[in-house]
Amino acid sequence: MSGNTKWTKADVPDQSGRVAVITGSNTGLGLETARVLAERGARVVLAVRNVDKGAEAAAAIAKTAPGADVSVQRLDLGSLRSVRTAAEEIAAAHPRIDLLINNAGLMYPPKGHTDDGFELQFGTNHLGHFALTGLLLENVLPVRDARIVVVASIAHTIRAGIHFEDLQWEQSYNRVAAYGQSKLANLMFAYALQRRLAAANATTIAVAAHPGVSNTELMRHIPGSSLPGFSKLAGLVTNSAATGALATLRAATDPAVTGGQYYGPDGFRELMGHPVLVSSSDQSHDQDVQERLWSVSEELTGVTYAL
């Protein structure tokens, strides 16, 4: 690590020869994660909903990482059809995947639904990634020391629970609680996946990370975000995207990381700072709920895991 003991992007080891697939990587945390991995020599796949914005992101990365191998893949996590198509295309183009980084997410949108009728946040943040990971698993498992990184949030503790009685928020809708459910689901997925990988004696590990509070496009649905000066004010109490991405980068590349760990900022209440090992809520470690969520996720997506 760096001399000041704070983990920074300078601590990311050489990634030459590795393939990294990153969802939601045309902006914010995903773009910064992709940029650093490309600078370190990884072949990076930007898996994004808008391929034009993805192409712009690839061009931006090329400016700071000349010669970087960056490609763009269309992926709409709000459509299981799109997830299946993307998985087929990624698998065909990249027989081996070293890093699968489930980064994309929606936060606090007005009530909406995915193409398959799922509540927008749960369907995109959790179910889309659950399906994508399962469909790409055969390309990840044979790769020694591959990693699946799930980007969670401190919001997994805020009004959060897995509401099996109304997973899709049809009876009522609270966007904060719905986001909390989706991020709690992300963590539970990471822990349950790691348990399965370990039982299968795989060298692949599943790791979780969170960025604290980062000033990115994800904040666009927060009340007041359109007011003059909001972004400047937010910048005083949030991580930049580059700093927020460090937890993901550490989870993805630090040789000392082990399966089932969770990384987040070292500052007050994990809101800001540099990445360290952190802990998640007791609720997130409830294996009975994890297993029920796993079964429901398989049922809703039609994707089962070959473990």
Side-chain angles (χ1 to χ4, degrees):
M1 282 176 55
S2 309
N4 63 1
T5 73
K6 297 279 190 184
W7 199 94
T8 72
K9 71 175 188 176
D11 294 301
V12 175
D14 179 53
Q15 298 295 301
S16 299
R18 307 191 86 200
V19 174
V21 177
I22 309 168
T23 68
S25 41
N26 61 288
T27 186
L29 301 170
L31 175 57
E32 293 303 323
T33 302
R35 187 195 311 277
V36 174
L37 291 174
E39 288 172 353
R40 292 292 182 274
R43 295 175 66 190
V44 175
V45 180
L46 307 178
V48 298
R49 194 159 55 94
N50 186 318
V51 292
D52 292 334
K53 289 184 177 178
E56 291 173 11
I61 291 171
K63 289 181 181 176
T64 58
D69 187 339
V70 182
S71 58
V72 178
Q73 170 65 50
R74 186 178 186 281
L75 167 68
D76 181 356
L77 289 161
S79 162
L80 289 176
R81 175 182 290 182
S82 174
V83 171
R84 288 184 179 277
T85 299
E88 288 173 6
E89 293 174 354
I90 292 169
H94 304 282
R96 56 167 287 159
I97 297 170
D98 299 77
L99 294 174
L100 173 57
I101 299 177
N102 292 327
N103 163 81
L106 289 169
M107 184 171 78
Y108 302 166
K111 186 175 183 180
H113 297 89
T114 67
D115 288 0
D116 305 282
F118 307 134
E119 185 274 317
L120 203 53
Q121 297 181 92
F122 185 69
T124 303
N125 298 355
H126 169 61
L127 292 174
H129 280 128
F130 180 92
L132 180 70
T133 304
L135 293 167
L136 289 177
L137 203 59
E138 288 184 4
N139 293 62
V140 177
L141 281 179
V143 182
R144 181 149 196 88
D145 299 326
R147 293 186 191 181
I148 296 164
V149 179
V150 179
V151 178
S153 168
I154 50 177
H156 84 275
T157 65
I158 301 172
R159 301 193 63 179
I162 306 297
H163 302 280
F164 291 109
E165 74 288 352
D166 189 20
L167 274 177
Q168 311 306 339
W169 298 85
E170 291 159 338
Q171 296 167 24
S172 64
Y173 180 67
N174 180 290
R175 59 186 181 175
V176 174
Y179 182 64
Q181 172 178 266
S182 75
K183 302 317 285 185
L184 177 59
N186 285 156
L187 267 174
M188 289 186 150
F189 165 56
Y191 295 150
L193 176 57
Q194 172 56 30
R195 206 158 51 245
R196 285 162 168 77
L197 291 167
N201 292 317
T203 65
T204 299
I205 58 172
V207 190
H210 82 84
V213 178
S214 292
N215 193 10
T216 69
E217 276 190 20
L218 195 67
M219 297 180 75
R220 65 185 177 276
H221 293 299
I222 289 179
S225 61
S226 61
L227 295 175
F230 175 88
S231 184
K232 187 173 182 181
L233 180 63
L236 299 176
V237 292
T238 60
N239 272 328
S240 65
T243 304
L246 290 176
T248 302
L249 286 163
R250 184 166 194 178
T253 67
D254 186 340
V257 168
T258 59
Q261 289 185 326
Y262 184 35
Y263 285 83
D266 61 359
F268 176 70
R269 292 189 178 274
E270 299 173 25
L271 296 175
M272 300 171 67
H274 289 253
V276 292
L277 193 59
V278 296
S279 57
S280 60
S281 68
D282 289 346
Q283 185 179 202
S284 69
H285 291 285
D286 186 323
Q287 292 191 15
D288 290 338
V289 178
Q290 289 173 10
E291 291 306 314
R292 185 177 177 190
L293 176 64
W294 189 283
S295 296
V296 169
S297 301
E298 288 190 331
E299 187 179 315
L300 292 174
T301 62
V303 175
T304 53
Y305 278 56
L307 280 171

